[in-house]
Amino acid sequence: MVKHGIDHLFQVGDLDGARERLLDLYFFDRLYEMVEYPQILRYWRALGDESAADQYQRAALELLENDDFEFIKDPVYSAGNFCHQAYWLLAGIAIFRRLTEKSTALFGPDHPDTLSSLMNLASCLDDQGNYEEAEAFSRQALEGRQQVLGPDHPDTFDSLNNLANCLHDQGNYEAAEAFYRQVLEGREQVLGPSHPNTFDSLYNLALFSHMSARITNKQSNSTNNWSMAMKAP
């Protein structure tokens, strides 16, 4: 019904109405649960906007200041996740940073909502290339979940995987691989070998092994080329 409603506005040419609905974060939250993010990007392109980052950032921050947190946290969270997926990283960072601050002030630094926001903030920062801050927040989220939820909770495995991604992106492959294997083993034991998250871990580890092999081969080829060049007359 939600998707049909936005599609109808485009069909009848009510572009202003469509824009208003897409920026209504309560409506957007329901739409985001129903469709993949590329479809929402297509809606914005149909409106002539390649990016709606500033609009979502403004809508989310206004909602955080003016409404009851328990009621608005999910719509704001969806806006932040969408901006991250769309690679509107500055907006995603601003949203998750403020969401983390608000949750910390209301519930404390170790509340599950705070740790979820912190992990997503770290992920956005990692994609931005701000590795130092991303790693610090990833470790903070992981330590908090280990203490509050326990080492074998699925959310703890998510945080551990997030830290592994961050270390991998920095080129710390040995530490990343160790964490990827720890996540895989934990998910196999707790969630089972056929769980989608376990398959994700298998994929991450396989992709990591493939990329590491390519890097090793490149380094080996570079060394061989240098040796040959030095031996050349």
Side-chain angles (χ1 to χ4, degrees):
M1 187 68 180
V2 172
K3 184 178 183 300
H4 292 159
I6 193 74
D7 287 343
H8 175 72
L9 291 173
F10 278 101
Q11 289 168 3
V12 300
D14 186 0
L15 300 186
D16 289 338
R19 184 186 302 275
E20 182 178 345
R21 295 298 272 166
L22 287 170
L23 288 173
D24 176 350
L25 295 191
Y26 299 109
F27 175 88
F28 176 83
D29 184 42
R30 288 178 288 157
L31 179 67
Y32 188 67
E33 291 178 353
M34 298 177 62
V35 303
E36 298 291 332
Y37 83 93
Q39 177 59 54
I40 302 177
L41 284 176
R42 284 191 285 272
Y43 287 141
W44 281 106
R45 291 185 183 125
L47 291 170
D49 293 342
E50 285 298 316
S51 174
D54 291 343
Q55 298 174 74
Y56 277 114
Q57 179 179 332
R58 184 165 51 252
L61 296 186
E62 287 178 356
L63 209 57
L64 279 170
E65 296 306 320
N66 298 327
D67 283 70
D68 178 69
F69 184 79
E70 282 291 343
F71 185 61
I72 59 89
K73 65 180 181 181
D74 288 341
V76 172
Y77 202 96
S78 293
N81 274 335
F82 173 63
C83 287
H84 186 190
Q85 288 180 306
Y87 233 71
W88 301 337
L89 295 178
L90 290 177
I93 289 168
I95 291 170
F96 281 122
R97 196 182 293 278
R98 184 64 189 123
L99 194 56
T100 301
E101 292 170 351
K102 189 89 171 182
S103 183
T104 300
L106 290 172
F107 308 124
D110 293 328
H111 190 276
D113 287 344
T114 305
L115 297 172
S116 292
S117 299
L118 186 64
M119 190 183 79
N120 280 277
L121 173 58
S123 185
C124 287
L125 290 164
D126 181 40
D127 285 343
Q128 188 193 42
N130 189 342
Y131 299 128
E132 183 176 351
E133 194 174 15
E135 182 180 348
F137 287 153
S138 292
R139 291 187 182 279
Q140 185 179 338
L142 173 61
E143 290 169 4
R145 282 181 162 173
Q146 286 174 330
Q147 292 176 7
V148 174
L149 303 175
D152 294 328
H153 192 280
D155 288 350
T156 304
F157 294 141
D158 290 345
S159 286
L160 188 59
N161 191 75
N162 206 55
L163 177 58
N165 290 338
C166 184
L167 293 170
H168 175 269
D169 291 342
Q170 295 180 58
N172 190 347
Y173 301 120
E174 185 175 350
E177 181 179 9
F179 284 141
Y180 281 135
R181 292 190 182 281
Q182 187 177 339
V183 173
L184 174 59
E185 291 170 3
R187 284 175 169 171
E188 284 178 333
Q189 293 177 4
V190 174
L191 302 176
S194 301
H195 192 278
N197 288 359
T198 306
F199 285 131
D200 285 345
S201 288
L202 279 169
Y203 174 80
N204 285 341
L205 191 56
L207 182 63
F208 170 84
S209 299
H210 174 70
M211 293 178 66
S212 296
R214 290 185 62 185
I215 291 170
T216 300
N217 288 337
K218 284 183 179 180
Q219 290 173 340
S220 177
N221 291 337
S222 177
T223 300
N224 291 338
N225 291 340
W226 174 255
S227 298
M228 292 174 62
M230 293 300 292
K231 293 177 182 177

